[in-house]
Structure formats: C-alpha cells, structure tokens
C-alpha cells in the first residue's frame, strides 16, 4: 500500500532520548546560546475587522536575539524590563525560534545528534545532524507554503501543533507566490486560517486536511503538500528532517531559475531595499553573477547525477517532469521499518494482521480531508445575530450586525479610495501590472518546471 498522503506515526519514538527535549531541557543544553526569535502579532481576535486579510510573512515580523532561558521567562508572564523581550507584550506577541539547524545550535555538542533516530523510519545513519529544531509560544506559526525539496518527517516533542495541509494538485487554489523570496519555499497569498474569499475565491475549492500533532507523534508530509502550522499550547517543541528525493535534482534547477528571475526583477525595481522582498532566512548574495553560477551548478549537477546514476541513463522528462522510475520505502509492519533508503515521497506498507480494521495499520493514521469550516468560511458568519460575541462549535468569534458590517466596509472603502483621490490630479494612475504580478506568472511552479525541462533538454543535445 503506497502512502502518498499525510499520515501520523504512533509509538515510534518512545525510546528516543529526544522525547525529553522540552524547552527547559534544551535551555540547559544551550545555557548561553543566543538564538534568533521571530516576533509576530497575535491578531486572531481582531483580524475579522481588517479590510484586507493577509498572511503574516516573515518580512513583516521583527526579530529578537535571546537565550532560551530568557524566552521561557518572558513566556511565563514574567517580563524583564531590561531583557531582550522588553518591547514585546506577551499578550500581544508570539515568539518563534524556527528553522534552527542542529549542526549550528549544537556545534560543540555533537553527542546530542544521537538523541534523534530517524533510522527507525528506514533511513540508516540519519539522526539529529540532519535535523531542525522549532521552539515557539502559543500562536507562533509559519505562513502556508510548500517545500520545493524532499518530503518531511516532523516529531512533536512538547505541546501541540495544528497542521492545515493541502494536496499539490490544489496549488492553483492556494495562489502561489515567490514574494517574499526564499529558496525552496513557495508561499501562498491566502491566510488559510482566515481566508479572504473576495480576493481569493478559488480557495473555496482547496481540500483542507487538518491534524493536531501531539507529543510523541511523528507526521509524514509528502512532497509538495502545502502546510500552515500553528502552536496551540503555551510552549511547543518540534524536530523535523527533510528527506531527499530523486525529484530534487530537477527541483534545484527550477529553484535556480526562480532565484535568477526574482533577484533580477526585484533588484532592478529597487536595488536599495532587498529586505522588502527577500526573506530574512536568505543571507546569500543576490548578484546576477552569483545567480548565474548557481544555475549552471544546478544544471551540471542534474546532468552529472543521471549520467553516473546506477538507476540508468537520463530519461526523457515527461510533461509533468517526473522520473518514471521510483523507489519506495518498504515497511513490513507498523512497528518495523526496514533499513532501506527511500528516494520517493511514497511509503509502501506491507500486509499486517490488522489491515482489515485499519488499512494503514494500528500505529499509522492517515490525515483525512477535513469538514471543519473556519469562521470566515461559515455561511452567514456576518449575518445579523444581535451583534456582540457568539460562542459556537467551541470557538469564540464576532457576529456583526448588518449596520455594523456596512459601516466597517464603508470605512475600508474610504481608506482605499482617499489616497487615490488625493493623487489623481498630480500623478498618473497606478499601473495595472506590478513587478510582483509579473513574477507570480513568470516563476509560477508550472512555468519554471517547463523552463527547466527545456533548458536541460537543450543541454543534452
């Protein structure tokens, strides 16, 4: 049985030393380590009143350098007026130490790598050295995106995280964008937990899969599945590892093309303000010379890999850009994972005694499409109900009376119209197509895939 959808593994990490890696434990392992925290606004209670609802991208966040001990003090509502979090009211902000690579965090403590045992999932020798640590407060989240490379295994250590996932074929409904630019991440323009269906009507067709990941569980995220992740407990700690796939060789060419085009157009637009469009995680140079070198390296690596690969000679790339030969991770039973390395996003389950009762086995549960509707998606969410606060389906949200709704919308319209009126006599009308609009088309994942195929085929001649 092939596993090509998200699924949660149970009872796979009970003997991992990393199961004890609470935020307090990690703070003792890193007593004086300065870690970068991303600070975001807790806007859940007020977002319904916004004229335009947009994701909270990393370029819109602020950042703090602090130790984990300082974070824990702040997160325990014990503000230190002289500490690094002094400017951030805990009731209004969340903090997230995200994308922290073990190899950088524990550069002097290589022994801790063995506390993480991805080898139990069929990847011999894979441990914390190929892992990333995530520590956040309640509300901390990553905007909805897909990862260009590999598939993902996520081990939840402390607290819970809520995952909203969407299949790759729903990409058009997620309105993909490469601004802000980050290599290997394609962001969605939609705030998936409070979607603006007026601006993004196609999102209504997206098939949401929701799962709450609890301590001890491991989530498998297949290749190119969109995901939005939010911490829903006071403190959450997660460890993940991106597993390399055969398709990554072509994906690196696609990413190199994207990088060259985004940097060229955005730098030409404003050469002195790269921070407005370049994600804070990107620290490399963005010069055209560097990007050309990067693209040539990706193409050469792709050709070299297939020329020397034992799999066979370079195969013709189909219209979908997928190799026709794939290997799969073989799982003989839910509790036993064979030591075979996978180069595919698919996991194949062998027959088990309980297969009839649970097709994926008793310790592997698929993440199914959700029937959950978010407040902004509910029919009549803004219909008159006396106004005020309404508690329904375990969620607190605001019902606006018809008059209030009209007033709010009128203020939004006026706010948008006034600047246009003030410049109408002194400046030309705003361009219909912006640089970002053009990039959304030029570096759309479907377009870059086709360009990469053409480029590689040309070099094979």
């Amino acid at each position: 049985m092939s596993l090509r959808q998200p699924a949660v593994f149970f009872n796979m990490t009970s003997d991992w030393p990393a199961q004890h890696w609470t935020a307090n434990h990690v703070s003792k392992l890193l007593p004086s380590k300065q870690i970068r925290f991303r600070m975001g606004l807790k806007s859940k209670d007020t977002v319904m009143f916004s004229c335009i609802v947009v994701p909270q991208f990393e370029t819109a966040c602020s950042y703090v350098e602090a130790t984990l001990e300082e974070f824990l003090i702040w997160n325990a509502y014990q503000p230190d007026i002289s500490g690094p979090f002094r400017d951030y009211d805990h009731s209004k902000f969340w903090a997230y130490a995200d994308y922290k690579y073990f190899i950088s965090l524990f550069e002097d403590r290589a022994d801790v790598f063995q506390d993480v045992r991805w080898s139990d999932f069929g990847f011999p020798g894979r441990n914390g050295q190929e892992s990333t640590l995530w520590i956040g407060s309640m509300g901390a989240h990553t905007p909805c995106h897909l990862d260009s490379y590999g598939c993902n295994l996520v081990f939840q250590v402390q607290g819970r995280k809520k995952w909203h996932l969407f299949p790759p074929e729903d990409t058009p409904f997620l309105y993909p964008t490469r601004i802000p630019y980050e290599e290997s991440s394609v962001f969605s323009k939609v705030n998936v937990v409070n979607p603006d269906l007026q601006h993004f009507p196609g999102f209504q067709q997206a098939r949401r899969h929701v799962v709450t990941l609890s301590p001890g569980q491991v989530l498998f995220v297949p290749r190119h599945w969109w995901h939005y992740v939010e911490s829903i407990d006071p403190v959450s700690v997660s460890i993940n590892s991106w597993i390399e796939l055969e398709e990554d060789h072509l994906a690196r060419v696609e990413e190199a093309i994207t990088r060259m085009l985004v940097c060229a157009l955005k730098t030409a637009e404003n050469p002195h303000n790269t921070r407005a469009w370049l994600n804070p995680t990107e620290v490399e140079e963005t010069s055209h010379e560097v990007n050309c070198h990067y693209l040539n390296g990706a193409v050469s690596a792709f050709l070299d890999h297939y020329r020397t690969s034992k799999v066979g000679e370079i195969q013709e790339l189909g219209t979908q850009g997928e190799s026709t030969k794939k290997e799969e991770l073989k799982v003989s039973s839910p509790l036993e994972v064979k030591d075979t390395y996978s180069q595919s996003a698919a996991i194949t389950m062998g027959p088990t005694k309980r297969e009839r009762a649970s097709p994926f086995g008793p310790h592997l549960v698929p993440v199914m499409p959700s029937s959950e509707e978010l407040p902004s998606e509910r029919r009549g969410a803004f219909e008159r109900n006396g106004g005020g606060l309404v508690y329904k389906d375990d969620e607190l949200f605001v019902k606006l009376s018809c008059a209030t709704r009209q007033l709010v919308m009128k203020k939004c319209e006026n706010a948008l119209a006034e600047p246009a009126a003030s410049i109408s006599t002194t400046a030309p009308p705003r361009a219909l197509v912006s640089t970002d609009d053009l990039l959304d088309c030029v570096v759309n994942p479907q377009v870059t895939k086709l360009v990469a195929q053409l480029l590689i085929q040309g070099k094979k001649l």
Side-chain angles (χ1 to χ4, degrees):
M1 177 184 300
S2 293
L3 178 58
R4 297 185 181 276
Q5 69 183 85
V8 178
F9 287 88
F10 293 83
N11 303 324
M12 292 286 288
T13 61
S14 58
D15 60 344
W16 287 23
Q19 70 171 322
H20 304 297
W21 278 37
T22 63
N24 277 311
H25 177 79
V26 179
S27 70
K28 293 174 183 177
L29 292 177
L30 304 168
S32 58
K33 184 77 171 183
Q34 290 289 309
I35 298 174
R36 195 184 200 196
F37 287 84
R38 178 161 57 95
M39 309 301 296
L41 281 170
K42 294 179 178 179
S43 56
K44 184 176 182 180
D45 295 334
T46 59
V47 75
M48 291 183 71
F49 292 96
S50 299
C51 295
I52 299 176
V53 181
V54 296
Q56 196 168 166
F57 289 123
E58 294 167 54
T59 48
C61 295
S62 51
Y63 293 83
V64 165
E65 297 285 338
T67 64
L68 279 174
E69 183 179 5
E70 290 170 326
F71 160 74
L72 291 171
I73 292 173
W74 172 80
N75 197 47
Y77 299 90
Q78 300 175 19
D80 182 351
I81 58 174
S82 62
F85 294 97
R86 61 184 177 275
D87 296 328
Y88 299 93
D89 185 338
H90 187 275
S91 65
K92 297 180 180 179
F93 289 88
W94 49 257
Y96 205 8
D98 51 0
Y99 296 100
K100 305 307 176 188
Y101 289 91
F102 271 50
I103 200 166
S104 299
L105 279 179
F106 304 103
E107 50 191 344
D108 300 324
R109 294 289 309 272
D111 56 302
V112 304
F113 294 164
Q114 305 306 318
D115 287 6
V116 181
R117 303 172 179 173
W118 300 116
S119 55
D120 290 351
F121 289 85
F123 304 100
R126 197 176 193 93
N127 54 37
Q129 188 170 6
E130 297 85 18
S131 301
T132 311
L133 184 68
W134 311 68
I135 301 177
S137 62
M138 183 179 292
H141 65 268
T142 52
C144 186
H145 68 284
L146 68 78
D147 299 316
S148 302
Y149 306 142
C151 59
N152 198 359
L153 285 172
V154 186
F155 169 40
Q156 190 65 27
V157 181
Q158 179 182 6
R160 294 169 301 154
K161 280 186 173 179
K162 192 169 187 177
W163 286 70
H164 299 250
L165 302 113
F166 304 86
E169 53 268 28
D170 284 0
T171 292
F173 310 137
L174 273 298
Y175 298 84
T177 182
R178 297 311 300 262
I179 303 297
Y181 172 73
E182 175 182 81
E183 183 182 357
S184 80
S185 294
V186 182
F187 291 103
S188 169
K189 291 182 179 181
V190 184
N191 180 346
V192 299
V193 294
N194 190 23
D196 182 350
L197 299 180
Q198 182 177 354
H199 287 82
F200 308 110
F203 181 71
Q204 295 178 87
Q205 301 181 59
R207 291 162 295 172
R208 185 192 304 269
H209 296 59
V210 179
V211 63
T212 297
L213 199 65
S214 299
Q217 298 174 354
V218 175
L219 175 66
F220 168 69
V221 183
R223 182 175 187 261
H224 284 183
W225 272 71
W226 293 85
H227 48 284
Y228 167 94
V229 191
E230 181 172 347
S231 302
I232 59 175
D233 281 331
V235 181
S236 68
V237 178
S238 306
I239 299 172
N240 89 296
S241 186
W242 286 284
I243 310 299
E244 302 84 359
L245 302 174
E246 186 70 22
E247 294 88 349
D248 290 349
H249 296 286
L250 178 62
R252 289 191 177 89
V253 178
E254 297 169 18
E255 283 298 302
I257 293 168
T258 298
R259 175 174 169 169
M260 175 175 282
L261 293 175
V262 170
C263 292
L265 288 177
K266 294 301 289 186
T267 303
E269 180 183 55
N270 189 343
H272 306 296
N273 189 22
T274 58
R275 287 299 121 189
W277 57 270
L278 191 65
N279 220 41
T281 54
E282 289 294 312
V283 296
E284 296 183 24
E285 295 181 63
T286 58
S287 70
H288 188 68
E289 181 181 1
V290 169
N291 293 335
C292 281
H293 179 75
Y294 186 77
L295 175 59
N296 277 277
V299 172
S300 296
F302 178 91
L303 296 174
D304 290 345
H305 170 76
Y306 282 97
R307 284 173 183 148
T308 60
S309 174
K310 295 180 181 179
V311 173
E313 299 179 355
I314 299 177
Q315 301 172 3
E316 288 296 327
L317 295 172
T319 57
Q320 300 300 318
E322 300 290 343
S323 171
T324 58
K325 182 167 183 175
K326 296 182 179 180
E327 298 174 0
E328 296 178 338
L329 175 63
K330 304 293 184 180
V331 182
S332 57
S333 75
L335 291 175
E336 178 184 359
V337 182
K338 291 184 179 180
D339 290 336
T340 56
Y341 184 76
S342 171
Q343 287 288 354
S344 173
I347 292 181
T348 297
M349 303 295 297
T352 67
K353 293 181 179 179
R354 296 186 57 179
E355 198 168 64
R356 292 182 181 178
S358 178
F360 283 76
H363 303 285
L364 181 62
V365 177
V367 180
M368 305 302 292
S370 173
S371 59
E372 171 186 350
E373 290 185 1
L374 299 172
S376 61
E377 294 178 308
R378 293 192 179 111
R379 178 174 297 180
F382 289 98
E383 292 175 356
R384 179 167 183 170
N385 193 34
L389 299 176
V390 177
Y391 192 82
K392 182 179 179 183
D393 298 333
D394 296 326
E395 291 189 16
L396 184 67
F397 62 97
V398 179
K399 291 270 189 174
L400 300 181
S401 68
C402 291
T404 305
R405 175 190 174 194
Q406 292 173 0
L407 179 60
V408 172
M409 293 185 68
K410 185 65 176 178
K411 287 184 177 180
C412 291
E413 291 171 358
N414 291 341
L416 294 173
E418 286 175 4
S422 64
I423 64 172
S424 61
T425 58
T426 59
R430 181 182 176 185
L432 292 177
V433 179
S434 67
T435 303
D436 290 0
D437 293 333
L438 178 61
L439 283 171
D440 285 342
C441 299
V442 174
V443 294
N444 181 283
Q446 293 179 341
V447 175
T448 54
K449 181 180 289 292
L450 176 60
V451 173
Q453 293 168 11
L454 293 172
L455 193 61
I456 291 170
Q457 288 173 358
K459 293 303 176 183
K460 285 163 53 182
L461 297 178

Short mmCIF file of all heavy atoms in Angstrom, two decimals, residues 198-235:
data_model
loop_
_atom_site.label_atom_id
_atom_site.label_comp_id
_atom_site.label_asym_id
_atom_site.label_seq_id
_atom_site.Cartn_x
_atom_site.Cartn_y
_atom_site.Cartn_z
N GLN A 198 -13.15 37.01 -1.01
CA GLN A 198 -13.46 38.00 -2.04
C GLN A 198 -12.27 38.18 -2.96
O GLN A 198 -12.42 38.30 -4.17
CB GLN A 198 -13.83 39.34 -1.40
CG GLN A 198 -14.21 40.41 -2.42
CD GLN A 198 -14.64 41.71 -1.76
OE1 GLN A 198 -14.76 41.79 -0.55
NE2 GLN A 198 -14.86 42.73 -2.58
N HIS A 199 -11.05 38.19 -2.37
CA HIS A 199 -9.85 38.35 -3.18
C HIS A 199 -9.34 37.01 -3.72
O HIS A 199 -8.67 36.97 -4.75
CB HIS A 199 -8.74 39.02 -2.36
CG HIS A 199 -8.96 40.48 -2.11
ND1 HIS A 199 -9.77 40.95 -1.11
CD2 HIS A 199 -8.50 41.56 -2.77
CE1 HIS A 199 -9.78 42.27 -1.14
NE2 HIS A 199 -9.02 42.67 -2.13
N PHE A 200 -9.63 35.92 -3.02
CA PHE A 200 -9.12 34.61 -3.41
C PHE A 200 -10.27 33.60 -3.45
O PHE A 200 -10.31 32.64 -2.67
CB PHE A 200 -8.04 34.14 -2.43
CG PHE A 200 -6.94 35.15 -2.22
CD1 PHE A 200 -6.81 35.82 -1.00
CD2 PHE A 200 -6.05 35.45 -3.24
CE1 PHE A 200 -5.81 36.75 -0.80
CE2 PHE A 200 -5.04 36.39 -3.05
CZ PHE A 200 -4.92 37.04 -1.84
N PRO A 201 -11.22 33.79 -4.36
CA PRO A 201 -12.41 32.92 -4.39
C PRO A 201 -12.09 31.46 -4.69
O PRO A 201 -12.80 30.56 -4.25
CB PRO A 201 -13.26 33.53 -5.50
CG PRO A 201 -12.29 34.29 -6.37
CD PRO A 201 -11.25 34.81 -5.43
N GLY A 202 -11.01 31.22 -5.44
CA GLY A 202 -10.66 29.84 -5.78
C GLY A 202 -10.30 29.00 -4.58
O GLY A 202 -10.35 27.77 -4.64
N PHE A 203 -9.94 29.65 -3.47
CA PHE A 203 -9.53 28.90 -2.28
C PHE A 203 -10.66 28.03 -1.74
O PHE A 203 -10.41 27.04 -1.06
CB PHE A 203 -9.06 29.87 -1.19
CG PHE A 203 -8.60 29.19 0.06
CD1 PHE A 203 -7.42 28.46 0.08
CD2 PHE A 203 -9.37 29.25 1.23
CE1 PHE A 203 -7.01 27.81 1.24
CE2 PHE A 203 -8.96 28.61 2.38
CZ PHE A 203 -7.78 27.89 2.39
N GLN A 204 -11.89 28.39 -2.07
CA GLN A 204 -13.03 27.59 -1.61
C GLN A 204 -12.97 26.17 -2.14
O GLN A 204 -13.58 25.26 -1.58
CB GLN A 204 -14.33 28.25 -2.06
CG GLN A 204 -14.58 29.61 -1.43
CD GLN A 204 -15.86 30.25 -1.93
OE1 GLN A 204 -16.93 30.03 -1.39
NE2 GLN A 204 -15.74 31.05 -2.98
N GLN A 205 -12.23 25.96 -3.25
CA GLN A 205 -12.12 24.64 -3.84
C GLN A 205 -10.96 23.81 -3.27
O GLN A 205 -10.82 22.63 -3.58
CB GLN A 205 -11.95 24.75 -5.35
CG GLN A 205 -13.09 25.49 -6.04
CD GLN A 205 -12.90 25.55 -7.55
OE1 GLN A 205 -12.79 24.53 -8.21
NE2 GLN A 205 -12.84 26.76 -8.10
N ALA A 206 -10.13 24.45 -2.45
CA ALA A 206 -8.99 23.73 -1.86
C ALA A 206 -9.48 22.73 -0.83
O ALA A 206 -10.39 23.00 -0.06
CB ALA A 206 -8.03 24.73 -1.22
N ARG A 207 -8.86 21.55 -0.82
CA ARG A 207 -9.25 20.48 0.10
C ARG A 207 -8.35 20.47 1.32
O ARG A 207 -7.21 20.02 1.27
CB ARG A 207 -9.20 19.14 -0.63
CG ARG A 207 -10.27 18.98 -1.70
CD ARG A 207 -9.91 17.88 -2.67
NE ARG A 207 -8.71 18.20 -3.44
CZ ARG A 207 -8.08 17.35 -4.24
NH1 ARG A 207 -8.54 16.12 -4.36
NH2 ARG A 207 -7.01 17.72 -4.91
N ARG A 208 -8.87 21.00 2.40
CA ARG A 208 -8.10 21.14 3.63
C ARG A 208 -8.03 19.81 4.40
O ARG A 208 -9.04 19.14 4.59
CB ARG A 208 -8.74 22.22 4.50
CG ARG A 208 -7.98 22.56 5.77
CD ARG A 208 -8.85 23.41 6.68
NE ARG A 208 -9.33 24.62 6.03
CZ ARG A 208 -8.70 25.79 6.05
NH1 ARG A 208 -7.55 25.90 6.69
NH2 ARG A 208 -9.21 26.85 5.44
N HIS A 209 -6.83 19.45 4.84
CA HIS A 209 -6.63 18.31 5.73
C HIS A 209 -6.09 18.89 7.04
O HIS A 209 -5.09 19.62 7.03
CB HIS A 209 -5.62 17.32 5.16
CG HIS A 209 -6.04 16.66 3.88
ND1 HIS A 209 -6.34 17.37 2.73
CD2 HIS A 209 -6.21 15.34 3.56
CE1 HIS A 209 -6.65 16.52 1.76
NE2 HIS A 209 -6.59 15.29 2.25
N VAL A 210 -6.74 18.60 8.16
CA VAL A 210 -6.34 19.17 9.44
C VAL A 210 -5.98 18.07 10.41
O VAL A 210 -6.69 17.06 10.53
CB VAL A 210 -7.47 20.05 10.03
CG1 VAL A 210 -7.05 20.62 11.38
CG2 VAL A 210 -7.83 21.19 9.07
N VAL A 211 -4.87 18.26 11.13
CA VAL A 211 -4.48 17.31 12.17
C VAL A 211 -3.78 18.08 13.29
O VAL A 211 -3.04 19.04 13.03
CB VAL A 211 -3.55 16.21 11.61
CG1 VAL A 211 -2.25 16.79 11.10
CG2 VAL A 211 -3.27 15.14 12.66
N THR A 212 -4.06 17.69 14.52
CA THR A 212 -3.36 18.25 15.68
C THR A 212 -2.31 17.24 16.12
O THR A 212 -2.65 16.11 16.50
CB THR A 212 -4.33 18.55 16.83
OG1 THR A 212 -5.27 19.55 16.40
CG2 THR A 212 -3.57 19.08 18.04
N LEU A 213 -1.06 17.63 16.02
CA LEU A 213 0.05 16.73 16.35
C LEU A 213 0.41 16.89 17.82
O LEU A 213 0.68 17.99 18.30
CB LEU A 213 1.26 17.06 15.47
CG LEU A 213 2.32 15.99 15.33
CD1 LEU A 213 1.76 14.76 14.63
CD2 LEU A 213 3.54 16.52 14.57
N SER A 214 0.40 15.77 18.54
CA SER A 214 0.66 15.76 19.98
C SER A 214 2.03 15.17 20.29
O SER A 214 2.62 14.49 19.44
CB SER A 214 -0.44 14.97 20.71
OG SER A 214 -1.70 15.56 20.50
N PRO A 215 2.55 15.41 21.50
CA PRO A 215 3.87 14.89 21.86
C PRO A 215 3.99 13.39 21.64
O PRO A 215 3.08 12.62 21.97
CB PRO A 215 3.98 15.26 23.35
CG PRO A 215 3.14 16.48 23.50
CD PRO A 215 1.97 16.27 22.58
N GLY A 216 5.11 12.99 21.08
CA GLY A 216 5.38 11.58 20.81
C GLY A 216 4.98 11.14 19.43
O GLY A 216 5.35 10.05 18.99
N GLN A 217 4.20 11.95 18.72
CA GLN A 217 3.74 11.59 17.39
C GLN A 217 4.67 12.15 16.31
O GLN A 217 5.33 13.17 16.51
CB GLN A 217 2.32 12.10 17.17
CG GLN A 217 1.31 11.52 18.13
CD GLN A 217 -0.06 12.14 18.00
OE1 GLN A 217 -0.26 13.10 17.25
NE2 GLN A 217 -1.03 11.61 18.74
N VAL A 218 4.69 11.49 15.17
CA VAL A 218 5.50 11.92 14.03
C VAL A 218 4.60 12.07 12.81
O VAL A 218 3.87 11.13 12.46
CB VAL A 218 6.64 10.92 13.73
CG1 VAL A 218 7.40 11.33 12.46
CG2 VAL A 218 7.61 10.84 14.91
N LEU A 219 4.65 13.22 12.18
CA LEU A 219 3.84 13.48 10.99
C LEU A 219 4.69 13.32 9.74
O LEU A 219 5.80 13.84 9.66
CB LEU A 219 3.27 14.90 11.05
CG LEU A 219 2.49 15.38 9.81
CD1 LEU A 219 1.21 14.56 9.64
CD2 LEU A 219 2.18 16.86 9.91
N PHE A 220 4.15 12.58 8.78
CA PHE A 220 4.79 12.46 7.47
C PHE A 220 4.09 13.42 6.52
O PHE A 220 2.87 13.34 6.33
CB PHE A 220 4.67 11.02 6.95
CG PHE A 220 5.04 10.88 5.49
CD1 PHE A 220 6.35 11.05 5.07
CD2 PHE A 220 4.06 10.57 4.55
CE1 PHE A 220 6.67 10.91 3.71
CE2 PHE A 220 4.38 10.43 3.21
CZ PHE A 220 5.70 10.60 2.79
N VAL A 221 4.86 14.35 5.94
CA VAL A 221 4.32 15.32 4.97
C VAL A 221 4.91 14.96 3.60
O VAL A 221 6.11 15.12 3.37
CB VAL A 221 4.69 16.76 5.34
CG1 VAL A 221 4.07 17.74 4.35
CG2 VAL A 221 4.24 17.09 6.76
N PRO A 222 4.09 14.49 2.67
CA PRO A 222 4.60 14.10 1.36
C PRO A 222 5.12 15.30 0.57
O PRO A 222 4.86 16.47 0.92
CB PRO A 222 3.36 13.50 0.66
CG PRO A 222 2.40 13.19 1.76
CD PRO A 222 2.65 14.22 2.81
N ARG A 223 5.80 15.01 -0.50
CA ARG A 223 6.39 16.04 -1.35
C ARG A 223 5.32 17.00 -1.88
O ARG A 223 4.28 16.60 -2.35
CB ARG A 223 7.12 15.38 -2.52
CG ARG A 223 7.82 16.35 -3.47
CD ARG A 223 8.61 15.58 -4.52
NE ARG A 223 9.41 16.49 -5.33
CZ ARG A 223 9.07 16.92 -6.53
NH1 ARG A 223 7.91 16.55 -7.05
NH2 ARG A 223 9.85 17.74 -7.20
N HIS A 224 5.63 18.29 -1.77
CA HIS A 224 4.84 19.37 -2.35
C HIS A 224 3.44 19.54 -1.74
O HIS A 224 2.58 20.17 -2.34
CB HIS A 224 4.73 19.22 -3.87
CG HIS A 224 5.99 19.61 -4.59
ND1 HIS A 224 6.08 19.61 -5.96
CD2 HIS A 224 7.20 20.01 -4.12
CE1 HIS A 224 7.30 19.99 -6.31
NE2 HIS A 224 8.01 20.23 -5.20
N TRP A 225 3.22 19.00 -0.54
CA TRP A 225 1.98 19.29 0.15
C TRP A 225 2.09 20.64 0.84
O TRP A 225 3.04 20.92 1.56
CB TRP A 225 1.66 18.19 1.17
CG TRP A 225 0.89 17.05 0.58
CD1 TRP A 225 1.36 16.12 -0.30
CD2 TRP A 225 -0.48 16.74 0.81
NE1 TRP A 225 0.36 15.24 -0.63
CE2 TRP A 225 -0.79 15.58 0.04
CE3 TRP A 225 -1.49 17.31 1.59
CZ2 TRP A 225 -2.05 15.00 0.03
CZ3 TRP A 225 -2.75 16.72 1.59
CH2 TRP A 225 -3.02 15.59 0.82
N TRP A 226 1.10 21.49 0.61
CA TRP A 226 1.06 22.80 1.27
C TRP A 226 0.77 22.60 2.77
O TRP A 226 0.02 21.68 3.14
CB TRP A 226 -0.04 23.66 0.67
CG TRP A 226 0.21 24.07 -0.75
CD1 TRP A 226 -0.08 23.37 -1.88
CD2 TRP A 226 0.79 25.31 -1.19
NE1 TRP A 226 0.29 24.08 -3.00
CE2 TRP A 226 0.82 25.28 -2.60
CE3 TRP A 226 1.27 26.44 -0.52
CZ2 TRP A 226 1.33 26.34 -3.36
CZ3 TRP A 226 1.77 27.49 -1.27
CH2 TRP A 226 1.81 27.44 -2.67
N HIS A 227 1.35 23.47 3.60
CA HIS A 227 1.07 23.35 5.03
C HIS A 227 1.20 24.68 5.75
O HIS A 227 2.09 25.48 5.47
CB HIS A 227 1.97 22.29 5.69
CG HIS A 227 3.42 22.41 5.35
ND1 HIS A 227 3.93 22.00 4.13
CD2 HIS A 227 4.48 22.89 6.05
CE1 HIS A 227 5.25 22.21 4.10
NE2 HIS A 227 5.60 22.76 5.27
N TYR A 228 0.25 24.90 6.66
CA TYR A 228 0.27 26.01 7.62
C TYR A 228 0.32 25.35 8.99
O TYR A 228 -0.47 24.45 9.27
CB TYR A 228 -0.98 26.88 7.47
CG TYR A 228 -1.20 27.85 8.61
CD1 TYR A 228 -0.73 29.17 8.53
CD2 TYR A 228 -1.87 27.47 9.77
CE1 TYR A 228 -0.93 30.06 9.57
CE2 TYR A 228 -2.07 28.36 10.81
CZ TYR A 228 -1.61 29.65 10.71
OH TYR A 228 -1.81 30.54 11.75
N VAL A 229 1.24 25.81 9.86
CA VAL A 229 1.45 25.15 11.15
C VAL A 229 1.40 26.18 12.27
O VAL A 229 2.09 27.21 12.20
CB VAL A 229 2.81 24.42 11.19
CG1 VAL A 229 2.88 23.52 12.41
CG2 VAL A 229 3.05 23.62 9.91
N GLU A 230 0.62 25.90 13.31
CA GLU A 230 0.48 26.86 14.41
C GLU A 230 0.58 26.14 15.76
O GLU A 230 -0.02 25.08 15.97
CB GLU A 230 -0.85 27.59 14.32
CG GLU A 230 -1.05 28.63 15.42
CD GLU A 230 -2.27 29.49 15.22
OE1 GLU A 230 -2.84 29.48 14.11
OE2 GLU A 230 -2.67 30.20 16.17
N SER A 231 1.33 26.75 16.68
CA SER A 231 1.44 26.23 18.04
C SER A 231 0.18 26.59 18.82
O SER A 231 -0.22 27.75 18.84
CB SER A 231 2.66 26.83 18.74
OG SER A 231 3.85 26.55 18.03
N ILE A 232 -0.43 25.59 19.45
CA ILE A 232 -1.69 25.85 20.15
C ILE A 232 -1.56 25.62 21.66
O ILE A 232 -2.56 25.68 22.38
CB ILE A 232 -2.83 25.00 19.58
CG1 ILE A 232 -2.52 23.51 19.70
CG2 ILE A 232 -3.11 25.38 18.14
CD1 ILE A 232 -3.68 22.62 19.26
N ASP A 233 -0.36 25.39 22.15
CA ASP A 233 -0.10 25.29 23.58
C ASP A 233 0.92 26.35 24.00
O ASP A 233 1.61 26.92 23.15
CB ASP A 233 0.40 23.89 23.94
CG ASP A 233 -0.74 22.86 24.01
OD1 ASP A 233 -1.87 23.28 24.33
OD2 ASP A 233 -0.49 21.68 23.74
N PRO A 234 1.03 26.64 25.30
CA PRO A 234 1.93 27.71 25.76
C PRO A 234 3.36 27.58 25.24
O PRO A 234 4.00 28.59 24.93
CB PRO A 234 1.88 27.59 27.28
CG PRO A 234 0.50 27.07 27.54
CD PRO A 234 0.22 26.10 26.41
N VAL A 235 3.86 26.35 25.15
CA VAL A 235 5.20 26.11 24.59
C VAL A 235 5.12 24.89 23.69
O VAL A 235 4.50 23.89 24.05
CB VAL A 235 6.25 25.88 25.69
CG1 VAL A 235 7.63 25.65 25.06
CG2 VAL A 235 6.32 27.03 26.67
#
